[in-house]
Amino acid sequence: MSRAAQQAVRLVEVGARDGLQNEAQVLTPEVRLQLLQRLADAGLRTLEAGAFVSPRWVPQMAGSDQVFQALPERPGVTWTALVPNVQGLEAALAAGCREVAVFAAASEAFSQKNINCSIARSLERFDTVLQGARAAGIKVRGYVSCVMECPFSGRVEPEAVATVSAALYAMGCYEISLGDTLGSGTPRATRALIKACSRVVPVAALAGHFHDTYGMAVANVHSALEAGVRVFDSSVAGLGGCPYSPGATGNVATEDLVYLLDGLGMEHGVDLDRLMAAGAFINARLGRETGSKVAQALQAKGRLAIGH
Ligand code: HMG
Ligand code: MG
């Protein structure tokens, strides 16, 4: 890795999907669209804009087709969507989506609860999704959930995560995002996880997706950075959770991640003031306080989010 690449981090903003899918309040496609535009205005370049999943399972993501149809082309910006099967891929393509993500789990129990099938069956489905995506000329990212622990069956071994990661990578996912769904991981466990996964997937193709339930997400990002990972998923204002993971809270807040990267002198391309404005916008719509410690601290010092 060149020195420039070592110092640059790519952020994948998942607030409009992972964040909003777990809010009790269902927001209109119009509000979700406004959030996404504000996040792109802040400099985020890869943004998960929705999910083409069953609206019976996740009502918050209904209307993702309307979001994608209204999203403008922006140079350098990629709007992505979660798809669990070919039906989701077809809906995503029809709405104009040009990158999708499939989502597997490292735990059988979670796979059943989340997508109603075994890990093996999900991988067969994803292989078909990958074939369809290849034919349509679009890229596919792969998620692995429960990389540390499963809410239903407990501890998950790094080798189990590596096995699923390798399968997704082999079928053509360009990047594997490792999801600490419960947010219970620690820096030491993160090190072991990256070590196991980078034996089977190049570290440049690994991403960290840390929920912050136990307050460890920033520490885990740091640990993954030290292990060579340069792509991280985050949610503005720490929005998020997972509907099938009781008690799990949001992803690492994008504001907290940006502050960490600034402190480390690493490039990320995000304007913190504009990001805080996007956070203030969505918090006001949801009637919630920010989940970002950095946003709380800066607001307490009187640094108001611009536009508010
Ligand atoms: P199923 O009930 O087994 O599906 O659900 P099915 O194939 O038997 O079909 C049943 C009905 O669902 C049919 O409708 C299908 O048309 C419909 P009906 O004939 O009864 O009216 N259906 C769909 N509708 C819309 N879009 C689709 C679709 N597929 C089937 N793509 C299914 C299986 C996968 C669909 C369901 O379990 C589902 O939608 N699950 C979504 C779960 C989800 O979105 N979870 C949250 C995202 S994952 C996450 O947050 C973790 C992550 O952040 C990483 C981490 O933190 O760990 C990524
Ligand atoms: Mg998640």
Side-chain angles (χ1 to χ4, degrees), residues 106-128:
S107 133
E108 283 295 346
F110 190 84
S111 185
Q112 288 291 349
K113 292 271 186 200
N114 196 33
I115 50 175
N116 205 23
C117 66
S118 66
I119 297 171
R121 179 78 190 105
S122 76
L123 294 175
E124 284 168 17
R125 279 186 194 164
F126 298 152
D127 199 29
T128 320

Side-chain angles (χ1 to χ4, degrees), residues 17-18 21 52 54 56 85 87 114 116 145 181 209 211:
R17 192 281 302 172
D18 205 344
Q21 79 181 10
F52 291 87
S54 165
R56 259 187 254 168
N85 51 22
Q87 189 175 333
N114 196 33
N116 205 23
S145 285
T181 319
H209 178 108
H211 284 263

Side-chain angles (χ1 to χ4, degrees), residues 141-161:
R141 194 174 197 238
Y143 277 105
V144 184
S145 285
C146 300
V147 299
M148 303 282 186
E149 188 182 349
C150 169
F152 311 106
S153 57
R155 186 183 150 85
V156 172
E157 295 301 328
E159 287 67 31
V161 183

Side-chain angles (χ1 to χ4, degrees), residues 2-262:
S2 71
R3 195 173 150 67
Q6 274 179 356
Q7 291 307 317
V9 168
R10 189 164 69 85
L11 270 52
V12 177
E13 171 60 45
V14 297
R17 192 281 302 172
D18 205 344
L20 297 185
Q21 79 181 10
N22 203 41
E23 293 292 337
Q25 202 178 331
V26 179
L27 297 180
T28 61
E30 175 56 33
V31 173
R32 287 147 62 189
L33 189 67
Q34 284 183 38
L35 171 64
L36 286 158
Q37 300 262 38
R38 285 166 186 256
L39 290 167
D41 290 344
L44 288 151
R45 289 293 165 259
T46 309
L47 301 98
E48 250 178 21
F52 291 87
V53 298
S54 165
R56 259 187 254 168
W57 287 61
V58 188
Q60 293 88 339
M61 289 294 106
S64 287
D65 52 343
Q66 292 168 50
V67 174
F68 273 90
Q69 280 156 10
L71 279 169
E73 290 257 350
R74 288 178 73 137
V77 171
T78 305
W79 313 107
T80 75
L82 238 55
V83 300
N85 51 22
V86 168
Q87 189 175 333
L89 173 69
E90 284 171 356
L93 291 172
C97 175
R98 301 301 300 154
E99 181 176 322
V100 296
V102 292
F103 46 109
S107 133
E108 283 295 346
F110 190 84
S111 185
Q112 288 291 349
K113 292 271 186 200
N114 196 33
I115 50 175
N116 205 23
C117 66
S118 66
I119 297 171
R121 179 78 190 105
S122 76
L123 294 175
E124 284 168 17
R125 279 186 194 164
F126 298 152
D127 199 29
T128 320
V129 170
L130 265 289
Q131 288 171 32
R134 243 190 310 275
I138 69 165
K139 294 204 305 183
V140 182
R141 194 174 197 238
Y143 277 105
V144 184
S145 285
C146 300
V147 299
M148 303 282 186
E149 188 182 349
C150 169
F152 311 106
S153 57
R155 186 183 150 85
V156 172
E157 295 301 328
E159 287 67 31
V161 183
T163 303
V164 178
S165 300
L168 290 172
Y169 191 66
M171 72 176 69
C173 291
Y174 76 92
E175 186 168 275
I176 309 299
S177 177
L178 301 170
D180 181 10
T181 319
L182 258 67
S184 61
T186 60
R188 185 174 173 188
T190 300
R191 236 182 349 264
L193 174 73
I194 306 301
K195 193 172 168 194
C197 292
S198 58
R199 284 198 198 106
V200 290
V201 175
V203 72
L206 292 176
H209 178 108
F210 298 106
H211 284 263
D212 201 25
T213 317
Y214 289 72
M216 291 290 116
V218 167
N220 291 339
V221 167
H222 191 255
S223 177
L225 277 169
E226 287 193 329
V229 176
R230 291 293 178 271
V231 184
F232 294 96
D233 304 351
S234 60
S235 280
V236 66
L239 296 172
C242 178
Y244 305 107
S245 174
T249 60
N251 299 88
V252 63
T254 311
E255 296 90 329
D256 298 2
L257 182 54
V258 162
Y259 186 83
L260 171 75
L261 296 173
D262 280 342

